[in-house]
Amino acid sequence: MKTKSGDFVLPGDALGVTEEFVPADWTYDDEGKIRSLVAGTVSLDQKNKRISIIPKTSSPIMLSNGIVVFGQISEVRGQRALMKIEGEKDNKRSLVTNFSGGIHISQADKGYVAKLTDEFHIGDLVEARVTKVIGLDNVDLTTAENELGVIKAMCTNCRSYMKKMTKNEVLCPNCGRKERRKISAKYEG
Ligand SMILES: [Zn+2]
């Protein structure tokens, strides 16, 4: 890990180790590894040994209905999973926005969903289609398509990224925990 200031990183990218640096803004400690929470630019403070990320927020584009976006789940409530939208799919480097979206339980999967926590957890990376843009913090999303949903699941127990087991189950290679998800056909790993 030879991260330097100005490097462009995506959510989950490793930036350094906690033996050398302190995780600061928009980063998290993943069992000793510092990873980025967001897409953005690395800012390395050598004097204070702090790593932070400057989120890439300015965007020349507006989100519009029908486009597929990617982002990270920030909260799962009873009826709605909240997602921080990082950008438009296949345009990861240039079209990053600072919108927040929500996936209603009725839009999570094609069939009936009893519990939204069987579909998403905090930290998951998700691809979803925009159905309605109401405001910066109010974008309606759907994942009720085969190639939409979770592309990287974060273990609730230890925050490692999990491996796909079956159509709707993931396994943590670190702690062995099994969890359910609305997994995209494009799941990474
Ligand atoms: Zn785990």
Side-chain angles (χ1 to χ4, degrees), residues 13-177:
D13 282 358
L15 309 168
V17 291
T18 51
E19 285 153 14
E20 287 183 79
F21 289 99
V22 178
D25 296 350
W26 299 104
T27 67
Y28 66 97
D29 178 356
D30 176 17
E31 307 216 320
K33 283 198 183 98
I34 301 167
R35 294 185 188 276
S36 180
L37 271 172
V38 295
T41 308
V42 176
S43 173
L44 211 55
D45 178 352
Q46 290 288 1
K47 193 172 158 233
N48 298 303
K49 298 286 174 194
R50 284 161 58 92
I51 294 181
S52 52
I53 303 294
I54 301 157
K56 190 159 172 56
T57 51
S58 61
S59 170
I61 59 142
M62 279 291 291
L63 292 184
S64 52
N65 293 353
I67 70 164
V68 174
V69 293
F70 71 100
Q72 191 165 34
I73 299 295
S74 57
E75 193 179 340
V76 181
R77 297 177 181 161
Q79 300 290 306
R80 203 165 152 89
L82 302 184
M83 180 171 132
K84 187 177 185 329
I85 299 172
E86 304 290 350
E88 186 179 356
K89 200 189 160 208
D90 300 327
N91 269 319
K92 293 186 180 182
R93 279 166 196 274
S94 58
L95 298 174
V96 180
T97 68
N98 57 348
F99 288 85
S100 297
I103 305 159
H104 188 262
I105 192 166
S106 65
Q107 296 297 311
D109 211 338
K110 286 179 190 167
Y112 171 72
V113 173
K115 270 186 4 207
L116 203 50
T117 48
D118 282 345
E119 312 287 300
F120 307 107
H121 281 273
I122 290 173
D124 288 352
L125 301 183
V126 167
E127 289 182 349
R129 193 180 298 283
V130 174
T131 55
K132 198 175 186 185
V133 181
I134 300 152
L136 272 183
D137 289 317
N138 203 349
V139 177
D140 283 345
L141 302 166
T142 178
T143 53
E145 294 177 36
N146 289 341
E147 295 195 345
L148 298 177
V150 177
I151 56 165
K152 257 185 162 186
M154 187 181 272
C155 176
T156 307
N157 187 41
C158 73
R159 295 175 72 82
S160 298
Y161 283 115
M162 303 171 89
K163 299 227 172 294
K164 183 178 175 179
M165 281 183 74
T166 65
K167 197 173 165 287
N168 49 24
E169 274 182 309
V170 284
L171 172 71
C172 178
N174 187 47
C175 73
R177 187 182 171 94

